[in-house]
Amino acid sequence: MKKSILATAVLAMMISGSALAKEGAYVGGSLGSAKLDPSNDSTATSFGAYGGYNFTDWFGIESSLFATTEFKQGDGVEVMGAAFSVAPRFILTLNEEFSLFAKAGLANTLVNVDTPIGDTDLDGIVFSWGVGLDWSVGEHLGLRLAYEMNDGELEHEDFSSVDVDVELSQLYLGVHYHF
């Protein structure tokens, strides 16, 4: 009886201890739904990767890269987006399994517009922010539900005087590995 109680206590400590926000490096992948504004309220699938380093249990830095499939605009117009961001990340541990995070930084954002008469790119450095929930499901494995927004003016590739205000956002599920 004492051995089973001791084994249960050790197992519980191992499982719960692994769930706290950990210092160190992590890397993960994501799949979600993206929206581009201005557009005709269409959505696209987003996919990407993220990684970072937690310096403490409440502060880290994170980088993410994501791209979208085509936003269907009708009349042969197809639009795709991509963004690479770097941001400090602030973590609030709720309990031994769950933590919330918020981040804000800069993103290099690209929007490609393909029309029947040609294609063009809009790109630029914009403000990026995100919030999410991390769930530790094991000693090294975690799941994430998050929302990210990249908002700012993108410059036309051929006409530097033409700027377009763009919001490229994604809601995604992620899985990551802590080293």
Side-chain angles (χ1 to χ4, degrees):
M1 178 74 165
K2 287 182 184 179
K3 287 183 183 179
S4 64
I5 293 173
L6 180 60
T8 303
V10 169
L11 181 62
M13 286 189 320
M14 287 172 44
I15 292 171
S16 65
S18 68
L20 298 174
K22 294 184 247 178
E23 295 177 15
Y26 59 94
V27 63
S30 65
L31 182 64
S33 177
K35 183 173 180 183
L36 179 65
D37 188 25
S39 75
N40 294 333
D41 293 325
S42 66
T43 60
T45 300
S46 67
F47 53 92
Y50 59 93
Y53 191 88
N54 291 333
F55 298 102
T56 67
D57 62 349
W58 63 269
F59 177 75
I61 190 161
E62 183 170 285
S63 182
S64 68
L65 171 68
F66 82 93
T68 69
T69 58
E70 296 171 348
F71 294 93
K72 300 294 182 189
Q73 300 296 307
D75 297 330
V77 177
E78 297 173 346
V79 179
M80 295 185 346
F84 173 73
S85 66
V86 176
R89 184 172 104 110
F90 299 93
I91 306 158
L92 174 64
T93 301
L94 299 176
N95 60 31
E96 296 176 350
E97 292 180 359
F98 296 97
S99 62
L100 298 173
F101 70 87
K103 62 182 186 171
L106 296 175
N108 187 359
T109 303
L110 170 72
V111 173
N112 174 269
V113 181
D114 188 11
T115 67
I117 60 172
D119 71 339
T120 189
D121 290 334
L122 304 166
D123 67 349
I125 305 294
V126 301
F127 180 68
S128 175
W129 62 271
V131 293
L133 172 73
D134 281 337
W135 176 28
S136 182
V137 294
E139 185 176 350
H140 297 284
L141 189 64
L143 298 176
R144 171 181 287 188
L145 174 63
Y147 176 81
E148 291 185 12
M149 167 68 80
N150 300 303
D151 184 15
E153 288 188 352
L154 301 182
E155 187 175 280
H156 191 279
E157 71 178 332
D158 295 326
F159 306 104
S160 61
S161 63
V162 176
D163 292 335
V164 178
D165 191 26
V166 171
E167 292 179 355
L168 178 62
S169 62
Q170 70 165 338
L171 176 65
Y172 68 90
L173 291 172
V175 60
H176 53 270
Y177 182 84
H178 281 273
F179 295 97

